[in-house]
Amino acid sequence: MNEQDKINALRIKIDKIDNEIVQLFNKRLELANKIASEKIKYNLSIEDTKRENEILKKFEKQENFIHIKKLYQSIFDITKKYEE
């Protein structure tokens, strides 16, 4: 296997992971939408910084926490816009 074949094999693995991420993200958005419906029904705020902090706290000991935090902040922002 030459260098380009090795790179392509790794890219195929990344593509598979990317597909899984997208599927899971779509499921997350569906669930967030259901939560938003419940919040609206009970006149609760869509934004829940306490919950966001709880999620981030679970990952704070991870080696790449700074990047995980940025990822989740983007997810939170997208989810809030999706819930509106």
Side-chain angles (χ1 to χ4, degrees):
M1 185 181 281
N2 66 32
E3 294 170 5
Q4 193 59 45
D5 289 340
K6 289 177 185 176
I7 291 169
N8 288 339
L10 292 170
R11 286 182 174 157
I12 288 169
K13 289 180 181 183
I14 287 176
D15 290 345
K16 183 179 178 194
I17 292 169
D18 287 344
N19 288 332
E20 291 173 16
I21 289 170
V22 169
Q23 289 175 358
L24 291 171
F25 183 68
N26 285 332
K27 287 180 183 180
R28 191 183 198 288
L29 285 177
E30 286 176 28
L31 292 170
N33 192 39
K34 289 178 182 180
I35 291 170
S37 295
E38 291 298 311
K39 286 180 174 181
I40 290 168
K41 185 166 46 173
Y42 296 107
N43 201 28
L44 300 171
S45 174
I46 294 294
E47 189 162 348
D48 188 348
T49 53
K50 181 182 174 197
R51 172 70 176 144
E52 292 175 11
N53 289 331
E54 288 171 359
I55 292 169
L56 291 175
K57 189 162 183 63
K58 292 188 295 186
F59 301 111
E60 68 185 359
K61 292 190 181 354
Q62 293 287 324
E63 181 179 332
N64 293 311
F65 177 67
I66 191 154
H67 303 296
I68 293 168
K69 184 176 180 181
K70 288 178 186 178
L71 172 66
Y72 269 90
Q73 287 171 332
S74 294
I75 289 172
F76 297 151
D77 289 343
I78 292 166
T79 302
K80 284 183 252 187
K81 287 182 175 132
Y82 183 79
E83 291 174 338
E84 291 177 345

Coordinates of all heavy atoms in Angstrom, one line a residue:
M1 N 0.9 -1.2 0.0 CA 0.0 0.0 0.0 C 0.9 1.2 0.0 O 1.8 1.4 0.9 CB -0.9 0.0 1.2 CG -1.9 1.1 1.3 SD -3.0 1.1 2.8 CE -4.2 -0.2 2.3
N2 N 0.7 2.1 -1.0 CA 1.5 3.3 -1.0 C 0.9 4.4 -0.1 O -0.1 4.3 0.5 CB 1.7 3.8 -2.5 CG 0.4 4.3 -3.1 OD1 -0.5 4.8 -2.4 ND2 0.2 4.1 -4.4
E3 N 1.6 5.5 -0.1 CA 1.2 6.6 0.8 C -0.2 7.1 0.5 O -1.0 7.4 1.5 CB 2.2 7.8 0.7 CG 3.6 7.5 1.2 CD 4.6 8.6 0.8 OE1 4.2 9.6 0.3 OE2 5.8 8.3 1.1
Q4 N -0.5 7.3 -0.7 CA -1.8 7.8 -1.1 C -2.9 6.8 -0.7 O -4.0 7.2 -0.3 CB -1.9 8.2 -2.6 CG -3.1 9.0 -3.0 CD -3.2 10.3 -2.2 OE1 -2.2 11.0 -2.1 NE2 -4.4 10.6 -1.7
D5 N -2.7 5.6 -0.9 CA -3.6 4.5 -0.5 C -3.9 4.6 1.0 O -5.0 4.4 1.5 CB -3.2 3.1 -0.9 CG -3.2 2.9 -2.4 OD1 -3.9 3.7 -3.1 OD2 -2.5 2.0 -2.9
K6 N -2.8 4.8 1.8 CA -3.0 4.9 3.3 C -3.8 6.1 3.6 O -4.7 6.0 4.5 CB -1.6 5.0 3.9 CG -0.8 3.7 3.9 CD 0.6 3.9 4.5 CE 1.4 2.6 4.3 NZ 2.8 2.8 4.8
I7 N -3.5 7.2 3.0 CA -4.3 8.4 3.2 C -5.8 8.2 2.8 O -6.7 8.6 3.6 CB -3.7 9.6 2.5 CG1 -2.3 10.0 3.1 CG2 -4.6 10.8 2.5 CD1 -1.5 11.0 2.3
N8 N -6.0 7.6 1.7 CA -7.4 7.4 1.3 C -8.1 6.4 2.2 O -9.3 6.7 2.5 CB -7.4 6.8 -0.2 CG -7.1 7.9 -1.2 OD1 -7.2 9.1 -0.9 ND2 -6.6 7.4 -2.3
A9 N -7.4 5.4 2.7 CA -8.1 4.5 3.7 C -8.5 5.2 5.0 O -9.5 5.0 5.5 CB -7.1 3.4 4.0
L10 N -7.6 6.1 5.4 CA -7.9 6.9 6.6 C -9.1 7.9 6.3 O -10.0 8.1 7.2 CB -6.7 7.7 7.1 CG -5.6 6.8 7.6 CD1 -4.3 7.7 7.8 CD2 -6.0 6.1 8.9
R11 N -9.1 8.5 5.1 CA -10.2 9.4 4.8 C -11.5 8.6 4.7 O -12.6 9.2 5.1 CB -9.9 10.1 3.5 CG -8.9 11.1 3.6 CD -8.6 11.9 2.3 NE -7.6 13.0 2.6 CZ -6.9 13.5 1.7 NH1 -6.9 13.0 0.4 NH2 -6.1 14.5 1.9
I12 N -11.5 7.4 4.3 CA -12.7 6.6 4.3 C -13.3 6.4 5.7 O -14.5 6.5 5.9 CB -12.5 5.2 3.5 CG1 -12.3 5.5 2.0 CG2 -13.6 4.3 3.8 CD1 -11.8 4.3 1.3
K13 N -12.4 6.2 6.6 CA -12.7 6.0 8.0 C -13.3 7.3 8.6 O -14.3 7.3 9.3 CB -11.6 5.6 8.9 CG -11.1 4.2 8.6 CD -10.0 3.8 9.5 CE -9.5 2.4 9.2 NZ -8.4 1.9 10.0
I14 N -12.7 8.5 8.2 CA -13.2 9.8 8.6 C -14.6 10.0 8.0 O -15.5 10.5 8.7 CB -12.3 10.9 8.2 CG1 -11.0 10.9 9.2 CG2 -13.0 12.3 8.3 CD1 -10.0 11.9 8.8
D15 N -14.8 9.7 6.8 CA -16.1 9.8 6.1 C -17.2 9.0 6.8 O -18.3 9.5 7.0 CB -16.1 9.4 4.6 CG -15.3 10.3 3.8 OD1 -15.0 11.5 4.2 OD2 -14.9 9.9 2.6
K16 N -16.9 7.8 7.3 CA -17.8 7.0 8.0 C -18.2 7.7 9.3 O -19.4 7.7 9.7 CB -17.2 5.6 8.3 CG -18.2 4.7 9.0 CD -17.6 3.3 9.2 CE -18.6 2.5 9.9 NZ -18.1 1.3 10.4
I17 N -17.2 8.2 10.0 CA -17.4 8.9 11.3 C -18.3 10.1 11.1 O -19.2 10.4 11.8 CB -16.1 9.2 12.0 CG1 -15.4 7.9 12.5 CG2 -16.3 10.2 13.2 CD1 -14.0 8.1 12.9
D18 N -18.0 10.9 10.0 CA -18.7 12.1 9.7 C -20.2 11.7 9.4 O -21.1 12.5 9.9 CB -18.2 12.8 8.4 CG -16.9 13.5 8.7 OD1 -16.5 13.7 9.9 OD2 -16.2 13.8 7.8
N19 N -20.5 10.6 8.7 CA -21.8 10.2 8.5 C -22.6 9.9 9.8 O -23.7 10.2 10.0 CB -21.9 9.0 7.6 CG -21.6 9.4 6.1 OD1 -21.8 10.5 5.7 ND2 -21.0 8.5 5.4
E20 N -21.9 9.2 10.7 CA -22.4 8.9 12.0 C -22.7 10.2 12.8 O -23.7 10.3 13.5 CB -21.5 8.0 12.8 CG -21.4 6.6 12.2 CD -20.3 5.8 12.9 OE1 -19.8 6.1 14.0 OE2 -19.9 4.7 12.3
I21 N -21.8 11.1 12.8 CA -22.0 12.4 13.5 C -23.2 13.1 13.0 O -24.0 13.6 13.8 CB -20.7 13.3 13.3 CG1 -19.5 12.8 14.1 CG2 -21.0 14.8 13.7 CD1 -18.2 13.4 13.8
V22 N -23.4 13.1 11.7 CA -24.6 13.8 11.1 C -25.9 13.1 11.5 O -26.8 13.8 11.9 CB -24.5 13.9 9.5 CG1 -25.8 14.4 8.9 CG2 -23.3 14.9 9.2
Q23 N -25.9 11.8 11.5 CA -27.1 11.1 11.9 C -27.4 11.4 13.4 O -28.5 11.6 13.7 CB -26.9 9.6 11.7 CG -26.9 9.2 10.2 CD -26.6 7.7 10.1 OE1 -26.3 7.0 11.0 NE2 -26.6 7.2 8.8
L24 N -26.4 11.3 14.2 CA -26.6 11.6 15.6 C -27.0 13.1 15.9 O -27.9 13.3 16.7 CB -25.3 11.3 16.4 CG -25.0 9.8 16.5 CD1 -23.6 9.6 17.1 CD2 -26.0 9.0 17.3
F25 N -26.4 14.0 15.1 CA -26.8 15.4 15.3 C -28.3 15.6 14.9 O -29.0 16.3 15.6 CB -25.9 16.3 14.4 CG -26.2 17.7 14.6 CD1 -25.9 18.4 15.7 CD2 -26.7 18.4 13.5 CE1 -26.1 19.7 15.9 CE2 -26.9 19.8 13.6 CZ -26.7 20.5 14.8
N26 N -28.7 14.9 13.8 CA -30.1 15.1 13.4 C -31.0 14.5 14.5 O -32.1 15.1 14.8 CB -30.3 14.4 12.1 CG -29.8 15.2 10.9 OD1 -29.7 16.4 11.0 ND2 -29.4 14.5 9.9
K27 N -30.6 13.4 15.1 CA -31.4 12.8 16.2 C -31.5 13.8 17.4 O -32.5 14.0 18.0 CB -30.9 11.5 16.7 CG -31.1 10.4 15.7 CD -30.5 9.0 16.2 CE -30.7 7.9 15.2 NZ -30.1 6.7 15.6
R28 N -30.3 14.4 17.7 CA -30.3 15.4 18.8 C -31.2 16.6 18.5 O -31.9 17.0 19.4 CB -28.8 15.9 18.9 CG -28.6 16.7 20.2 CD -27.2 17.2 20.3 NE -26.8 17.6 21.6 CZ -27.2 18.6 22.2 NH1 -28.1 19.4 21.7 NH2 -26.8 18.9 23.5
L29 N -31.2 17.0 17.3 CA -32.1 18.2 16.9 C -33.6 17.8 17.1 O -34.4 18.6 17.6 CB -31.8 18.6 15.5 CG -30.6 19.5 15.3 CD1 -30.4 19.8 13.8 CD2 -30.6 20.7 16.1
E30 N -33.9 16.6 16.7 CA -35.3 16.1 16.8 C -35.7 16.1 18.3 O -36.8 16.5 18.7 CB -35.4 14.7 16.3 CG -35.4 14.6 14.8 CD -35.5 13.1 14.3 OE1 -36.0 12.3 15.0 OE2 -35.0 12.9 13.2
L31 N -34.8 15.6 19.2 CA -35.1 15.5 20.6 C -35.2 16.9 21.2 O -36.1 17.2 22.0 CB -34.1 14.7 21.3 CG -34.1 13.2 21.0 CD1 -32.9 12.5 21.6 CD2 -35.4 12.6 21.6
A32 N -34.3 17.8 20.8 CA -34.3 19.2 21.2 C -35.6 19.9 20.8 O -36.2 20.7 21.6 CB -33.1 19.9 20.7
N33 N -36.1 19.6 19.6 CA -37.3 20.1 19.2 C -38.5 19.7 20.1 O -39.4 20.5 20.4 CB -37.6 19.8 17.7 CG -38.7 20.6 17.1 OD1 -38.8 21.8 17.4 ND2 -39.5 19.9 16.3
K34 N -38.5 18.4 20.4 CA -39.5 17.9 21.3 C -39.5 18.6 22.7 O -40.5 18.9 23.3 CB -39.4 16.4 21.5 CG -39.8 15.6 20.2 CD -39.6 14.1 20.4 CE -40.0 13.4 19.1 NZ -39.8 12.0 19.2
I35 N -38.2 18.8 23.2 CA -38.1 19.5 24.5 C -38.6 20.9 24.3 O -39.3 21.4 25.2 CB -36.6 19.4 24.9 CG1 -36.2 18.0 25.3 CG2 -36.3 20.4 26.1 CD1 -34.7 17.8 25.5
A36 N -38.3 21.6 23.2 CA -38.7 22.9 23.0 C -40.2 23.0 23.0 O -40.8 23.9 23.6 CB -38.2 23.5 21.7
S37 N -40.9 22.0 22.4 CA -42.4 22.0 22.4 C -42.9 21.9 23.8 O -43.9 22.6 24.2 CB -42.9 20.8 21.6 OG -42.5 21.0 20.3
E38 N -42.3 21.1 24.6 CA -42.7 20.9 26.0 C -42.5 22.2 26.8 O -43.3 22.7 27.6 CB -42.0 19.8 26.7 CG -42.4 18.4 26.2 CD -43.9 18.1 26.4 OE1 -44.3 18.3 27.6 OE2 -44.5 17.7 25.5
K39 N -41.3 22.9 26.6 CA -41.0 24.1 27.3 C -42.0 25.2 26.9 O -42.5 25.9 27.7 CB -39.6 24.6 26.9 CG -38.5 23.8 27.6 CD -37.1 24.3 27.2 CE -36.0 23.6 27.9 NZ -34.7 24.2 27.5
I40 N -42.4 25.3 25.6 CA -43.4 26.2 25.2 C -44.7 26.0 25.8 O -45.4 26.9 26.3 CB -43.4 26.2 23.6 CG1 -42.1 26.8 23.0 CG2 -44.7 27.0 23.1 CD1 -42.0 26.6 21.5
K41 N -45.1 24.7 25.8 CA -46.4 24.3 26.4 C -46.5 24.8 27.9 O -47.5 25.2 28.3 CB -46.6 22.8 26.3 CG -47.9 22.3 26.8 CD -48.3 20.9 26.4 CE -47.2 19.9 26.6 NZ -47.7 18.5 26.4
Y42 N -45.4 24.7 28.6 CA -45.3 25.1 30.0 C -44.8 26.5 30.3 O -44.4 26.8 31.4 CB -44.6 24.0 30.8 CG -45.3 22.7 30.8 CD1 -44.8 21.6 30.0 CD2 -46.5 22.5 31.5 CE1 -45.4 20.4 30.0 CE2 -47.2 21.3 31.4 CZ -46.6 20.2 30.7 OH -47.3 19.0 30.6
N43 N -44.6 27.2 29.2 CA -44.2 28.6 29.3 C -42.8 28.7 29.9 O -42.6 29.6 30.8 CB -45.2 29.5 30.0 CG -45.0 30.9 29.6 OD1 -44.5 31.3 28.6 ND2 -45.4 31.8 30.6
L44 N -41.9 27.8 29.6 CA -40.5 27.8 30.1 C -39.6 28.4 29.0 O -39.9 28.4 27.9 CB -40.1 26.4 30.4 CG -40.9 25.7 31.5 CD1 -40.5 24.2 31.6 CD2 -40.8 26.4 32.8
S45 N -38.5 28.9 29.5 CA -37.5 29.5 28.6 C -36.8 28.4 27.8 O -36.5 27.3 28.3 CB -36.4 30.2 29.4 OG -35.4 30.7 28.6
I46 N -36.6 28.7 26.5 CA -35.9 27.8 25.6 C -34.4 27.6 26.1 O -33.9 26.5 26.1 CB -36.0 28.3 24.2 CG1 -37.4 28.2 23.6 CG2 -35.0 27.4 23.3 CD1 -38.0 26.8 23.5
E47 N -33.8 28.7 26.4 CA -32.4 28.7 26.8 C -32.3 28.2 28.2 O -33.1 28.5 29.1 CB -31.8 30.1 26.8 CG -30.3 30.1 27.0 CD -29.7 31.4 26.5 OE1 -30.3 32.2 25.8 OE2 -28.5 31.6 26.8
D48 N -31.4 27.2 28.4 CA -31.1 26.6 29.7 C -29.6 26.5 30.0 O -29.0 25.5 29.7 CB -31.8 25.2 29.8 CG -31.8 24.6 31.1 OD1 -31.1 25.1 32.0 OD2 -32.5 23.6 31.3
T49 N -29.0 27.6 30.4 CA -27.6 27.6 30.6 C -27.1 26.6 31.7 O -26.0 26.1 31.6 CB -27.1 29.0 31.0 OG1 -27.8 29.5 32.1 CG2 -27.2 30.0 29.8
K50 N -28.0 26.3 32.6 CA -27.7 25.3 33.7 C -27.4 24.0 33.0 O -26.5 23.3 33.3 CB -28.8 25.2 34.7 CG -28.5 24.2 35.8 CD -29.6 24.2 36.8 CE -29.3 23.0 37.8 NZ -30.5 22.6 38.5
R51 N -28.3 23.6 32.1 CA -28.2 22.3 31.4 C -27.0 22.3 30.5 O -26.2 21.4 30.4 CB -29.5 22.1 30.6 CG -29.4 20.9 29.6 CD -29.4 19.6 30.4 NE -29.4 18.5 29.4 CZ -28.8 17.4 29.5 NH1 -28.1 17.1 30.6 NH2 -28.8 16.5 28.5
E52 N -26.7 23.4 29.8 CA -25.5 23.5 29.0 C -24.2 23.3 29.8 O -23.3 22.6 29.4 CB -25.5 24.9 28.3 CG -26.6 25.0 27.2 CD -26.6 26.4 26.6 OE1 -25.7 27.2 26.8 OE2 -27.6 26.7 25.9
N53 N -24.2 24.0 31.0 CA -23.0 23.8 31.9 C -22.9 22.4 32.4 O -21.8 21.9 32.5 CB -23.1 24.8 33.0 CG -22.9 26.2 32.6 OD1 -22.2 26.5 31.6 ND2 -23.5 27.2 33.3
E54 N -24.0 21.7 32.7 CA -24.0 20.3 33.1 C -23.4 19.4 32.0 O -22.5 18.6 32.3 CB -25.4 19.8 33.4 CG -26.0 20.3 34.7 CD -27.4 20.0 34.8 OE1 -28.0 19.3 33.9 OE2 -28.0 20.4 35.8
I55 N -23.7 19.7 30.7 CA -23.2 18.9 29.6 C -21.7 19.2 29.5 O -20.9 18.2 29.4 CB -23.9 19.3 28.3 CG1 -25.4 18.8 28.4 CG2 -23.2 18.7 27.1 CD1 -26.3 19.3 27.3
L56 N -21.3 20.4 29.5 CA -19.9 20.7 29.4 C -19.0 20.1 30.5 O -17.9 19.7 30.3 CB -19.7 22.2 29.3 CG -20.2 22.9 28.1 CD1 -20.0 24.4 28.2 CD2 -19.4 22.4 26.8
K57 N -19.6 20.1 31.7 CA -18.9 19.6 32.9 C -18.5 18.1 32.7 O -17.5 17.7 33.2 CB -19.7 19.8 34.2 CG -19.0 19.5 35.4 CD -19.7 20.2 36.6 CE -18.9 19.9 37.9 NZ -17.6 20.5 38.0
K58 N -19.4 17.4 32.0 CA -19.1 16.0 31.8 C -17.8 15.7 31.0 O -17.2 14.7 31.1 CB -20.3 15.3 31.0 CG -21.6 15.2 31.8 CD -22.6 14.4 31.1 CE -23.1 15.0 29.8 NZ -24.2 14.3 29.1
F59 N -17.5 16.7 30.2 CA -16.3 16.6 29.3 C -15.1 17.4 29.8 O -14.0 17.3 29.1 CB -16.7 17.0 27.9 CG -17.8 16.2 27.3 CD1 -19.1 16.8 27.1 CD2 -17.7 14.9 27.0 CE1 -20.1 16.1 26.6 CE2 -18.7 14.1 26.5 CZ -20.0 14.8 26.3
E60 N -15.1 18.1 30.9 CA -14.1 19.0 31.2 C -12.7 18.3 31.5 O -11.7 19.0 31.4 CB -14.5 19.9 32.3 CG -14.6 19.3 33.7 CD -15.2 20.3 34.7 OE1 -15.4 21.5 34.4 OE2 -15.3 19.8 35.9
K61 N -12.7 17.1 31.8 CA -11.5 16.4 32.0 C -10.9 15.7 30.8 O -9.8 15.1 30.8 CB -11.6 15.3 33.1 CG -11.9 16.0 34.5 CD -11.9 14.9 35.6 CE -12.1 15.4 36.9 NZ -12.3 16.4 37.6
Q62 N -11.6 15.8 29.7 CA -11.1 15.3 28.4 C -9.9 16.0 27.9 O -9.8 17.2 28.1 CB -12.2 15.3 27.3 CG -13.4 14.5 27.6 CD -13.1 13.0 27.4 OE1 -12.4 12.7 26.5 NE2 -13.7 12.2 28.2
E63 N -9.0 15.3 27.3 CA -7.8 15.9 26.8 C -8.1 17.1 25.9 O -7.4 18.1 25.9 CB -7.0 14.8 26.1 CG -5.7 15.3 25.5 CD -4.9 14.2 24.8 OE1 -5.1 13.0 25.2 OE2 -4.1 14.5 23.9
N64 N -9.0 17.0 25.0 CA -9.4 18.0 24.0 C -10.5 18.9 24.5 O -11.3 19.3 23.6 CB -9.7 17.4 22.7 CG -8.4 16.7 22.1 OD1 -7.4 17.4 22.0 ND2 -8.6 15.5 21.7
F65 N -10.7 19.1 25.8 CA -11.9 19.8 26.3 C -12.1 21.2 25.6 O -13.2 21.5 25.3 CB -11.8 20.0 27.8 CG -13.0 20.8 28.3 CD1 -14.2 20.3 28.3 CD2 -12.8 22.1 28.8 CE1 -15.3 21.0 28.7 CE2 -13.9 22.8 29.3 CZ -15.1 22.3 29.3
I66 N -11.0 21.9 25.3 CA -11.2 23.3 24.7 C -11.9 23.2 23.4 O -12.8 24.0 23.0 CB -9.9 24.0 24.6 CG1 -10.1 25.5 24.2 CG2 -8.9 23.4 23.7 CD1 -9.1 26.4 24.7
H67 N -11.6 22.1 22.6 CA -12.2 21.9 21.3 C -13.6 21.3 21.5 O -14.6 21.7 20.8 CB -11.4 21.0 20.5 CG -10.0 21.5 20.3 ND1 -9.7 22.7 19.6 CD2 -8.8 21.0 20.7 CE1 -8.4 22.9 19.6 NE2 -7.8 21.9 20.2
I68 N -13.8 20.5 22.5 CA -15.1 19.9 22.8 C -16.1 21.0 23.2 O -17.2 21.1 22.8 CB -15.0 18.8 23.8 CG1 -14.3 17.6 23.3 CG2 -16.4 18.4 24.4 CD1 -13.8 16.6 24.3
K69 N -15.6 21.9 24.0 CA -16.4 23.1 24.5 C -16.8 23.9 23.3 O -18.0 24.3 23.2 CB -15.6 23.9 25.5 CG -16.4 25.0 26.1 CD -15.5 25.8 27.1 CE -16.3 26.9 27.7 NZ -15.6 27.7 28.7
K70 N -15.9 24.2 22.4 CA -16.3 25.0 21.2 C -17.3 24.3 20.4 O -18.3 24.9 19.9 CB -15.0 25.3 20.3 CG -14.1 26.3 21.0 CD -12.9 26.5 20.1 CE -11.8 27.4 20.7 NZ -10.7 27.6 19.9
L71 N -17.1 23.0 20.2 CA -18.1 22.2 19.4 C -19.5 22.3 20.1 O -20.5 22.5 19.4 CB -17.6 20.7 19.4 CG -18.6 19.7 18.8 CD1 -18.9 20.0 17.3 CD2 -18.1 18.3 19.0
Y72 N -19.5 22.0 21.4 CA -20.8 22.1 22.1 C -21.4 23.4 22.1 O -22.7 23.6 22.0 CB -20.7 21.4 23.5 CG -21.0 20.0 23.4 CD1 -20.0 19.0 23.2 CD2 -22.3 19.5 23.5 CE1 -20.3 17.7 23.1 CE2 -22.6 18.2 23.4 CZ -21.6 17.3 23.2 OH -21.9 15.9 23.1
Q73 N -20.6 24.5 22.2 CA -21.2 25.8 22.1 C -21.8 26.1 20.8 O -22.9 26.7 20.7 CB -20.1 26.9 22.4 CG -19.7 26.9 23.9 CD -18.5 27.7 24.2 OE1 -17.7 27.9 23.4 NE2 -18.5 28.2 25.4
S74 N -21.2 25.6 19.7 CA -21.9 25.6 18.4 C -23.1 24.8 18.3 O -24.1 25.3 17.8 CB -20.9 25.2 17.3 OG -19.8 26.0 17.2
I75 N -23.1 23.6 18.9 CA -24.3 22.8 18.9 C -25.4 23.5 19.7 O -26.6 23.5 19.2 CB -24.0 21.4 19.5 CG1 -23.1 20.6 18.6 CG2 -25.2 20.6 19.9 CD1 -22.6 19.3 19.2
F76 N -25.1 24.1 20.8 CA -26.1 24.8 21.6 C -26.7 25.9 20.8 O -27.9 26.1 20.8 CB -25.5 25.3 22.9 CG -25.0 24.3 23.9 CD1 -23.9 24.6 24.7 CD2 -25.5 23.0 23.9 CE1 -23.4 23.6 25.6 CE2 -25.0 22.0 24.8 CZ -24.0 22.4 25.7
D77 N -25.9 26.7 20.1 CA -26.3 27.8 19.4 C -27.2 27.4 18.2 O -28.3 27.9 18.0 CB -25.2 28.6 18.8 CG -24.4 29.4 19.8 OD1 -24.9 29.6 20.9 OD2 -23.2 29.8 19.5
I78 N -26.8 26.3 17.5 CA -27.6 25.8 16.4 C -29.0 25.3 16.9 O -30.0 25.5 16.3 CB -26.8 24.7 15.6 CG1 -25.7 25.3 14.9 CG2 -27.8 24.0 14.7 CD1 -24.6 24.3 14.4
T79 N -28.9 24.5 18.0 CA -30.1 24.0 18.6 C -31.1 25.0 19.0 O -32.3 24.9 18.8 CB -29.7 23.1 19.8 OG1 -28.8 22.0 19.3 CG2 -31.0 22.4 20.4
K80 N -30.6 26.1 19.7 CA -31.5 27.2 20.1 C -32.2 27.8 18.9 O -33.4 28.1 18.9 CB -30.8 28.2 20.9 CG -30.5 27.7 22.3 CD -29.8 28.8 23.1 CE -28.3 28.4 23.3 NZ -27.6 29.3 24.2
K81 N -31.4 28.0 17.8 CA -32.0 28.6 16.6 C -33.0 27.7 16.0 O -34.1 28.1 15.5 CB -30.9 29.0 15.6 CG -30.1 30.2 16.0 CD -29.1 30.6 15.0 CE -28.5 31.9 15.5 NZ -27.0 31.9 15.5
Y82 N -32.7 26.4 16.0 CA -33.6 25.4 15.5 C -34.9 25.3 16.3 O -36.0 25.1 15.7 CB -32.9 24.0 15.5 CG -33.7 22.9 14.9 CD1 -33.8 22.7 13.5 CD2 -34.3 21.9 15.7 CE1 -34.5 21.6 13.0 CE2 -35.0 20.9 15.2 CZ -35.1 20.7 13.8 OH -35.8 19.7 13.3
E83 N -34.8 25.5 17.6 CA -36.0 25.4 18.5 C -36.9 26.6 18.3 O -38.1 26.6 18.8 CB -35.5 25.3 19.9 CG -34.9 24.0 20.2 CD -34.3 23.9 21.7 OE1 -34.1 25.0 22.3 OE2 -34.1 22.8 22.2
E84 N -36.4 27.7 17.8 CA -37.3 28.9 17.7 C -38.4 28.8 16.7 O -38.4 28.1 15.8 CB -36.4 30.1 17.3 CG -35.4 30.5 18.4 CD -34.5 31.6 18.0 OE1 -34.4 32.0 16.8 OE2 -33.9 32.2 18.9

